[in-house]
Amino acid sequence: MALNLIVDESVTNAHEAFSRFGNILYLQGRMITNSIVRNADALIIRSTTNVNEELLFGSNIKFVGTATIGTDHIDKDYLNKQQITFSDAKGCNADAVAEYFLTALYYIASKNGISLKDKSIGIVGVGNIGSRVKKLAKAIGLNVVLNDPPLQKKTGLEIYRPFEEVLTCDIITIHTPLTREGEDPAYHLFNERVLNYLKEGTILINSARGEVVDNLALLEVLKQKKIFTAFDVFESEPNILTGLLSYLDIATPHIAGYSYEGKVNGTKLIYDAFCKCFSFRAIWEPEYPSVKNNIISIPDLKNEDESDRKRERIYE
């Protein structure tokens, strides 16, 4: 059975994974339109293609896969109504984003002479990424406070603390998906009131979704007090609030999870879901390059003493 596939040209290893299934048209994600997908059987994309009724109306699409963890560019309700199989790649780049968090934290601490010893960290969202961040945070000796209302309701565990408790932490890192409705919407979770509540010198890291933080409110708050910031995501990408950038300690263009490993993992997850949808045998296995020098040594914060601080000048 030969199929017609539309594939975002930025999907890593797409040719190796999908070429045996039929005809493939590779395009930039923003160039995929209704007329192009009309006779296709499957659509494999990343985050730059908005998948909704406008794109798919009148098409033969039976499968949509996004090789990303985020799904706010997908109208899943429409896909369900049309009985179109959908798959995302949640967890594919979790390690890369967790490593981005750690790198950003150490950069800010080193640059500003901040000791991380005995510091507290609030992790907002404890899913694939947040759970990895928790392990890293504990490994370097931080006092961890977890916040995840859906998980708290599901498990009833008291380890998941109220949002207000997170806001008192020395470090806050955001790993929640973007939701606009329901009991616990994440849209503008960090609004003007919340941002004003943060204490001077808080380290705030956002590598989740830009809209979780009110960017205009953040700009006004940063004009008034010092909050150390590392932001990989912004509202209205790619048309972001450029005036905010000069107030941030770290500003990156949504690349925290954009590692080779993460991209290959994403393709593999979508490939497996695609094969299941069309009853193909999944035989493709990606090859990962070997890693050399995979151990990174960092100071032992638990045993840090005054001589270490004077010698290294990393903390304080």
Side-chain angles (χ1 to χ4, degrees), residues 5 8 29 51 54 69 73 85-86 95 129 160 179 192 197 225 237 282 286 293 301 309:
L5 289 75
D8 186 318
V51 179
E54 180 181 354
I69 61 172
H73 56 299
T85 301
F86 171 69
D95 288 322
I129 297 171
Y160 301 111
T179 54
E192 182 181 9
Y197 184 82
K225 66 178 178 180
E237 295 174 11
N293 302 321
L301 300 184
R309 290 197 294 271

Side-chain angles (χ1 to χ4, degrees), residues 57-97:
F57 181 79
S59 74
N60 294 320
I61 293 289
K62 303 174 186 65
F63 175 86
V64 173
T66 180
T68 62
I69 61 172
T71 59
D72 42 295
H73 56 299
I74 307 290
D75 187 342
K76 289 187 278 189
D77 289 337
Y78 177 76
L79 296 185
N80 287 333
K81 291 176 183 177
Q82 299 301 311
Q83 297 183 318
I84 298 172
T85 301
F86 171 69
S87 179
D88 58 42
K90 280 185 173 57
C92 69
N93 59 1
D95 288 322
V97 180

Side-chain angles (χ1 to χ4, degrees), residues 225-271:
K225 66 178 178 180
K226 182 57 183 176
I227 297 175
F228 298 101
T229 47
F231 272 58
D232 182 56
V233 289
F234 300 87
E235 288 194 90
S236 306
E237 295 174 11
N239 302 310
I240 68 172
L241 180 64
T242 55
L244 175 62
L245 300 181
S246 61
Y247 288 88
L248 302 175
D249 293 270
I250 298 175
T252 47
H254 206 147
I255 50 80
Y258 211 66
S259 67
Y260 180 75
E261 178 189 40
K263 290 188 285 184
V264 173
N265 288 343
T267 302
K268 173 59 175 170
L269 288 168
I270 298 306
Y271 167 83

Side-chain angles (χ1 to χ4, degrees), residues 6-184:
I6 307 297
V7 179
D8 186 318
E9 63 185 16
S10 66
V11 173
T12 302
N13 288 0
H15 183 76
E16 293 90 331
F18 296 102
S19 60
R20 72 183 179 96
F21 299 117
N23 304 308
I24 302 180
L25 176 62
Y26 297 100
L27 290 170
Q28 292 182 1
R30 292 187 175 89
M31 300 299 292
I32 298 173
T33 62
N34 176 263
S35 61
I36 289 173
V37 305
R38 190 167 289 268
N39 295 316
D41 299 293
L43 177 62
I44 298 167
I45 57 167
R46 290 189 61 83
S47 59
T48 58
T49 305
N50 291 317
V51 179
N52 48 33
E53 182 175 5
E54 180 181 354
L55 180 68
L56 300 183
F57 181 79
S59 74
N60 294 320
I61 293 289
K62 303 174 186 65
F63 175 86
V64 173
T66 180
T68 62
I69 61 172
T71 59
D72 42 295
H73 56 299
I74 307 290
D75 187 342
K76 289 187 278 189
D77 289 337
Y78 177 76
L79 296 185
N80 287 333
K81 291 176 183 177
Q82 299 301 311
Q83 297 183 318
I84 298 172
T85 301
F86 171 69
S87 179
D88 58 42
K90 280 185 173 57
C92 69
N93 59 1
D95 288 322
V97 180
E99 290 163 3
Y100 174 94
F101 150 77
L102 192 62
T103 303
L105 176 62
Y106 266 91
Y107 175 83
I108 289 174
S110 176
K111 180 181 177 182
N112 297 282
I114 300 171
S115 172
L116 297 179
K117 187 176 182 180
D118 297 325
K119 288 292 192 294
S120 59
I121 179 171
I123 302 174
V124 181
V126 197
N128 283 312
I129 297 171
S131 58
R132 285 168 168 81
V133 169
K134 177 184 71 173
K135 292 179 181 179
L136 292 176
K138 287 185 174 181
I140 63 174
L142 298 176
N143 300 312
V144 176
V145 178
L146 304 177
N147 171 256
D148 195 314
L151 268 179
Q152 197 282 326
K153 291 168 187 172
K154 182 179 179 180
T155 64
L157 297 176
E158 292 187 3
I159 60 171
Y160 301 111
R161 308 305 300 161
F163 184 57
E164 291 73 17
E165 190 171 331
V166 164
L167 300 182
T168 66
C169 290
D170 303 301
I171 306 157
I172 300 171
T173 182
I174 305 170
H175 302 289
T176 178
L178 176 62
T179 54
R180 297 176 183 271
E181 300 175 351
E183 290 186 64
D184 304 292

